Amino acid sequence: MADRSAESQEQNWEEKNAKLRVLAEAMERYEREGNPELFDERAEEERSTVRSKALVLLNHRMRSEKELRNRLLGYDYPPEVIDAVIEDLISQRLIDDSLFASEWVRQRHRKGKSRAVLDRELKDKGIADAERAEALAQVDDGDERSMAQAVAEKKARSISQVPADYAERNKHLRRIVGALARRGFAQHLSMEIAIAALEARIDELGGEQG
């Protein structure tokens, strides 16, 4: 069952990587050839500065539609020109909120972010409910638990000796729970996993000192 799940996840990542390659190729073609079918010469000249800045930002990393628009507005470009450029970039699939959300979840979950935190981050970036749900579906309950365990175990490894008393043990426990809470893991899950990680580390240290 686990093998099929891993195989399915690998296939999904391969499909997303293929989409990213198509996106990169489209960007290169766009920069090289432009899009004369959509713009006449006068309109191209008016929008060229905004489009050039947008492409620089997109070359740096993928961005959501809202994120890119806010960055361009920060340069005081006319909003109507920004809208026109963004509409064109969407038609060229150089902006793709669905793909952006999927990649955001995949990459940041690997860094220990919980689904709750990832959902808030995507919402802040203007990703619609349906697209957020689709992206977050990559992370199931088992993935969430495994990531929380990895975070807790890493924090527990910072304990260098068996706690001297109950108060010191609780201090270590609070630190592990805090590490999980900062990443947005649910309270009941955090406490359960923090206790298990702490006890495992104490047993490990006890064996070493014995």
Side-chain angles (χ1 to χ4, degrees):
M1 193 77 173
D3 291 341
R4 285 200 300 272
S5 176
E7 185 177 316
S8 175
Q9 189 175 49
E10 183 176 353
Q11 184 179 357
N12 288 337
W13 288 349
E14 288 176 357
E15 291 174 356
K16 292 181 179 68
N17 286 334
K19 290 181 181 179
L20 285 172
R21 286 194 295 271
V22 170
L23 202 63
E25 290 169 2
M27 183 177 290
E28 291 176 4
R29 186 168 60 254
Y30 189 93
E31 289 181 304
R32 184 174 63 250
E33 300 173 1
N35 194 354
E37 295 180 359
L38 293 181
F39 298 109
D40 60 28
E41 184 176 348
R42 183 175 180 181
E44 261 304 281
E45 183 178 352
E46 181 181 19
R47 299 168 188 173
S48 61
T49 301
V50 177
R51 189 171 60 253
S52 295
K53 175 57 71 173
L55 290 172
V56 168
L57 292 169
L58 289 171
N59 270 320
H60 180 65
R61 67 170 175 82
M62 291 181 69
R63 296 173 192 272
S64 68
E65 178 184 346
K66 177 183 177 181
E67 186 180 15
L68 182 61
R69 177 178 277 106
N70 287 343
R71 286 297 304 272
L72 293 173
L73 286 170
Y75 291 102
D76 293 327
Y77 297 131
E80 65 275 11
V81 177
I82 292 173
D83 289 344
V85 169
I86 285 180
E87 182 179 348
D88 179 46
L89 294 174
I90 291 173
S91 72
Q92 295 291 310
R93 295 199 63 203
L94 298 181
I95 300 174
D96 186 331
D97 276 2
S98 179
L99 182 58
F100 170 85
S102 178
E103 286 300 300
W104 185 269
V105 169
R106 185 175 69 84
Q107 293 178 17
R108 292 178 72 79
H109 178 65
R110 287 179 173 179
K111 297 180 179 179
K113 297 282 188 176
S114 69
R115 283 179 298 193
V117 166
L118 293 171
D119 189 47
R120 286 198 299 271
E121 290 176 346
L122 289 175
K123 189 173 183 179
D124 289 343
K125 291 182 179 298
I127 305 301
D129 292 351
E131 291 166 335
R132 294 203 314 274
E134 181 182 1
L136 290 165
Q138 298 175 93
V139 183
D140 61 24
D141 291 343
D143 296 327
E144 187 88 337
R145 173 174 286 273
S146 294
M147 184 55 68
Q149 287 172 337
V151 171
E153 288 166 4
K154 181 179 179 181
K155 187 65 176 178
R157 285 196 294 273
S158 66
I159 302 171
S160 59
Q161 58 185 8
V162 176
D165 52 30
Y166 185 75
E168 187 176 354
R169 178 187 181 280
N170 276 352
K171 179 181 71 175
H172 290 309
L173 180 60
R174 286 194 300 271
R175 287 175 178 172
I176 298 172
V177 170
L180 291 166
R182 286 191 294 274
R183 288 164 174 79
F185 292 103
Q187 184 175 4
H188 70 279
L189 179 66
S190 296
M191 182 59 70
E192 174 192 342
I193 287 177
I195 291 172
L198 177 59
E199 290 178 349
R201 180 56 176 165
I202 290 173
D203 289 345
E204 182 182 16
L205 292 169
E208 291 174 357
Q209 294 174 12

